Amino acid sequence: MARIDLDDFGEKELSRIYLAGRLAEAKRVEKILSTHGVDYAVEVEPYVTSFAIFSSGEYKGASFYVLSGQAEFSRRVLSEAGLTSGVLNDSEK
């Protein structure tokens, strides 16, 4: 299994499972999902972060999408690999 185009999922229900803020992190997510046989799509999306009370910024990150039926499994393997900060729950769509 591997990275595929978001449109190739067709009308199937997808879940956004991870937001990577750095390229190295995104590559690690790709490797873990591929190793575990998960088809996924990646889209570049903006996100906002706050560093301190008066400091924030908008950045671009890599959002990872999988079939909804594989979402919990994918989140679990990413968390077990130590990638916990970017894991998104269903409520964080």
Side-chain angles (χ1 to χ4, degrees):
M1 304 298 172
R3 179 178 175 171
I4 63 173
D5 190 80
L6 195 58
D7 293 333
D8 290 341
F9 281 114
E11 297 296 318
K12 297 175 182 167
E13 186 176 342
L14 301 177
S15 292
R16 188 170 78 144
I17 60 158
Y18 199 90
L19 177 63
R22 296 182 334 265
L23 180 59
E25 179 184 11
K27 287 182 176 186
R28 190 166 172 219
V29 171
E30 287 185 314
K31 183 176 181 180
I32 291 165
L33 293 176
S34 293
T35 299
H36 285 88
V38 177
D39 282 335
Y40 61 91
V42 181
E43 289 288 307
V44 175
E45 298 177 1
Y47 69 96
V48 177
T49 185
S50 296
F51 297 110
I53 295 173
F54 300 108
S55 176
S56 66
E58 184 173 301
Y59 302 92
K60 301 257 187 227
S63 290
F64 286 80
Y65 292 86
V66 299
L67 292 172
S68 291
Q70 291 187 312
E72 286 305 313
F73 170 76
S74 299
R75 290 180 183 114
R76 182 174 50 81
V77 296
L78 293 171
S79 293
E80 288 173 356
L83 293 167
T84 57
S85 64
V87 173
L88 302 171
N89 297 315
D90 283 330
S91 63
E92 298 174 293
K93 293 180 181 179

